[in-house]
Amino acid sequence: MTGPDARFWPFADGFVAGARLVIDRPKGSAHPRFPQIAYPLDYGYLDGTRAIDGDGVDVWCGSGDRARVTGVIASLDLTKRDGELKLLLGCTPDEMETIRAFHNQADWVAGALVVRPEGV
């Protein structure tokens, strides 16, 4: 992959490298608003960054290298009326599919997965 799209992935790695990773919802912990929903992987944010909601940029962490962005989830939430880009750090293909399913399990939320191409 060449061109402007190829620039995104190393840029994303640099973005992560410049921030402190905070895991505030470890794997298996309950969602704060919906306690019946458990987080399937570690979930947190990048301290010192800012997303559209004013909080730190959200991240999902898989079993691999947490310094490498392996994908992103673009999510929309009708109850909160917001949209966000969540970075997937060190996630395997199976872990990314688990995250995609997590963001599509209710009628009021939707998430689209974008996977980092091989070799980028």
Side-chain angles (χ1 to χ4, degrees):
M1 174 184 273
T2 60
D5 290 344
R7 180 174 178 256
F8 176 81
W9 300 104
F11 196 88
D13 292 341
F15 185 81
V16 170
R20 183 176 68 90
L21 174 62
V22 176
I23 301 300
D24 59 350
R25 298 175 192 172
K27 179 181 179 177
S29 64
H31 188 284
R33 291 185 333 198
F34 305 100
Q36 72 278 15
I37 297 174
Y39 284 87
L41 296 166
D42 287 345
Y43 184 77
Y45 64 94
L46 297 173
D47 193 32
T49 64
R50 189 175 65 226
I52 193 80
D53 63 2
D55 294 331
V57 172
D58 292 334
V59 296
W60 283 98
C61 296
S63 57
D65 180 2
R66 291 185 173 186
R68 183 172 170 80
V69 178
T70 51
V72 296
I73 286 281
S75 70
L76 299 172
D77 185 321
L78 296 177
T79 58
K80 294 191 314 184
R81 302 294 303 159
D82 78 359
E84 295 182 283
L85 185 71
K86 299 167 187 294
L87 302 178
L88 282 54
L89 308 181
C91 294
T92 66
D94 286 344
E95 289 168 336
M96 286 190 276
E97 178 54 29
T98 296
I99 295 164
R100 189 205 58 75
F102 183 88
H103 282 279
N104 287 284
Q105 64 181 313
D107 292 340
W108 65 88
V109 293
L113 173 64
V114 179
V115 177
R116 184 178 195 152
E118 291 291 323
V120 177

